[in-house]
Amino acid sequence: MKFNTMVRTGVAAVTSLAAALGISACARDYTAAYVYSISSTSGAISAYGVDYQSGVITQIQGSPFSTQLTNPATIVSTPNGKYVYAVSGNQQAVVEPFSVGTDGKLYGEATVNLTGTYPLAATIDSTSTWLFVTYQYQTQYGPNAPGPGGMSIFKINSDGTLGTPTNVNLGVDPIGVTVSAPVCTTSPIIPGNLTSACSSGQGANVYVYAVDQETSATPAIIGFSFNDSTGAVSFLPGSTCSTTNPTVCTGIRAGVQPSAIVSEPTGRYVYVTDALQNEIFSYQIAGPTTANPGQLSSTVQGFVSTGLYPISMVVDPRGKYLYAANYNSATVSSYSISLSDGSLGGTASVGNFATQTGPTCITIEPALGIYLYTSDKLAGDISGGQLNANTGQLSAVPTQFFPTGSLPSCLTSVPNGPRANQLVYP
């Protein structure tokens, strides 16, 4: 049998990728990653395998997986891909851990209570060791007696279970939380090797996007330095919270209506969305050798425009592009990230990438780092797109929309085994 040069090149590329994913002629497992979407009505988690060649997702056997939650708010996964955590969105105020099987199936553990009620957002640090969950109300407050919220910090044990949380009282509506990658030297950490330059306990910062009561209820970013050995946090310069009741906090002022916050993999920049003004604000993190390490300051660019009502963001694993899900316009806005100053630029795409109605969360699978998915709450499905690694431009994957559980509140993704990450950072 003869092959022309193009065919031989294509076969070689597929064979190389197949070998990296552990694919064999017998197994024929072409799954690069798994996507998990959680229903805000049933609490069930729908699980999908990501085809490495097309980005098409297919529900795996046994999906959807039941949870003990009612009205889930969000779902997050550890960067190492071993565990998934579902978070309730009401007074139930619990986190349910799941182990990820080698086949993508989920295996639940005992739920753990938060230190407050009505959880809002969650994130996990780059070492897969700490889970941060913000909540709307401290224990003495609630919908009938509104007041400030806070944050629960959980240690993630080696088996994925959660330790007893520590509590941080915060101001009103701590709507989003992000943990920056550790930066312990004058050079930023290289994406994919986030802990290479840091000794234990150094470098990471936690930023919460909340309402700042001391500046006429204007949103602000409250910053903390974080010790990843002990889980302890301490205020960064420019951020404070009172120890009196009710808790009053101050921070770096940001926008009008907070909706999301994210940091990029080098640990130098933070971005926040303003849902009312349809904007993304960008901030630079002061480096470890400056007078106030970790403190935020607005970049020269300041902000860029988005689609209507942006409520979620994600940065691609290589740290080159940022994507924002716009709830009211059913689109994803795409931006390039300048590593020299943190500014955001438009990609080569014309207009925004279209999703189904009501996109809530957005994820990029971490195996190949090229397939993007949104949970479309009002449509009850998942939209899939492929990003061009050279330009950041998004195009639809075949069969762009995939059915999922009713009213999906969020979704997350993990690689199919540790070798999959090597495809992004060989």
Side-chain angles (χ1 to χ4, degrees), residues 70-150:
T70 58
N71 191 29
T74 192
I75 185 170
V76 293
S77 53
T78 54
N80 62 18
K82 293 182 178 180
Y83 307 107
V84 167
Y85 298 90
V87 184
S88 67
N90 54 21
Q91 196 169 1
Q92 184 186 25
V94 298
V95 179
E96 186 170 358
F98 293 87
S99 298
V100 179
T102 56
D103 53 2
K105 293 182 180 179
L106 296 180
Y107 301 90
E109 305 284 353
T111 60
V112 181
N113 293 327
L114 273 73
T115 52
T117 58
Y118 292 86
L120 295 169
T123 194
I124 296 172
D125 77 321
S126 61
T127 68
S128 300
T129 307
W130 299 95
L131 169 67
F132 303 79
V133 182
T134 58
Y135 55 83
Q136 189 171 9
Y137 299 118
Q138 296 170 22
T139 54
Q140 64 268 45
Y141 300 103
N144 296 325

Side-chain angles (χ1 to χ4, degrees), residues 178-198:
T178 188
V179 184
S180 70
V183 178
C184 311
T185 64
T186 55
S187 299
I189 304 303
I190 300 172
N193 191 21
L194 297 179
T195 58
S196 59
C198 295

Side-chain angles (χ1 to χ4, degrees), residues 35-39 44-48 75 375 382 404-405 408 410-412:
V35 173
Y36 301 99
S37 169
I38 192 163
S39 167
I45 300 174
S46 299
Y48 306 81
I75 185 170
S375 51
I382 295 172
T404 191
C410 200
L411 82 174
T412 190

Side-chain angles (χ1 to χ4, degrees), residues 151-162:
M151 176 170 60
S152 296
I153 304 175
F154 298 87
K155 176 70 177 293
I156 299 175
N157 299 319
S158 59
D159 61 356
T161 59
L162 298 175

Side-chain angles (χ1 to χ4, degrees), residues 1 6 8 22 32 84-85 120 122 124 127 133 143 148 154 208 222 231 265 303 319 335 362 376-377 398 400:
M1 185 179 294
M6 182 176 293
R8 288 199 302 269
V84 167
Y85 298 90
L120 295 169
I124 296 172
T127 68
V133 182
F154 298 87
V208 179
I222 305 166
F303 66 92
Y335 308 89
I362 184 169
D376 305 327
K377 189 170 185 178
Q400 181 183 358

Side-chain angles (χ1 to χ4, degrees), residues 101-371:
T102 56
D103 53 2
K105 293 182 180 179
L106 296 180
Y107 301 90
E109 305 284 353
T111 60
V112 181
N113 293 327
L114 273 73
T115 52
T117 58
Y118 292 86
L120 295 169
T123 194
I124 296 172
D125 77 321
S126 61
T127 68
S128 300
T129 307
W130 299 95
L131 169 67
F132 303 79
V133 182
T134 58
Y135 55 83
Q136 189 171 9
Y137 299 118
Q138 296 170 22
T139 54
Q140 64 268 45
Y141 300 103
N144 296 325
M151 176 170 60
S152 296
I153 304 175
F154 298 87
K155 176 70 177 293
I156 299 175
N157 299 319
S158 59
D159 61 356
T161 59
L162 298 175
T164 302
T166 57
N167 180 68
V168 179
N169 284 338
L170 295 170
V172 174
D173 288 342
I175 200 71
V177 57
T178 188
V179 184
S180 70
V183 178
C184 311
T185 64
T186 55
S187 299
I189 304 303
I190 300 172
N193 191 21
L194 297 179
T195 58
S196 59
C198 295
S199 60
S200 180
Q202 291 185 326
N205 300 301
V206 179
Y207 301 96
V208 179
Y209 195 13
V211 171
D212 181 347
Q213 288 180 305
E214 283 204 344
T215 54
S216 302
T218 297
I221 305 170
I222 305 166
F224 303 87
S225 63
F226 177 64
N227 186 310
D228 63 12
S229 293
T230 65
V233 295
S234 56
F235 289 108
L236 290 170
S239 296
T240 63
C241 285
S242 67
T243 57
T244 57
N245 186 22
T247 306
V248 176
C249 297
T250 61
I252 306 300
R253 298 186 66 175
V256 174
Q257 184 173 327
S259 54
I261 184 168
V262 71
S263 51
E264 47 76 49
T266 67
R268 289 189 289 176
Y269 306 108
V270 167
Y271 301 92
V272 302
T273 49
D274 185 317
L276 189 61
Q277 297 186 132
N278 304 318
E279 292 172 338
I280 298 175
F281 293 88
S282 54
Y283 299 85
Q284 184 168 1
I285 302 174
T289 60
T290 61
N292 296 307
Q295 186 173 19
L296 297 182
S297 59
S298 181
T299 64
V300 173
Q301 182 187 42
F303 66 92
V304 295
S305 298
T306 67
L308 300 179
Y309 212 79
I311 62 171
S312 180
M313 288 182 291
V314 68
V315 175
D316 83 293
R318 299 171 184 85
K320 296 176 62 177
Y321 307 108
L322 181 148
Y323 300 89
N326 306 305
Y327 186 85
N328 284 356
S329 57
T331 59
V332 173
S333 299
S334 310
Y335 308 89
S336 60
I337 298 175
S338 170
L339 289 182
S340 62
D341 62 8
S343 61
L344 299 177
T347 68
S349 60
V350 178
N352 292 324
F353 176 76
T355 69
Q356 292 284 68
T357 53
T360 49
C361 284
I362 184 169
T363 187
I364 296 176
E365 49 75 27
L368 304 174
I370 60 172
Y371 297 121

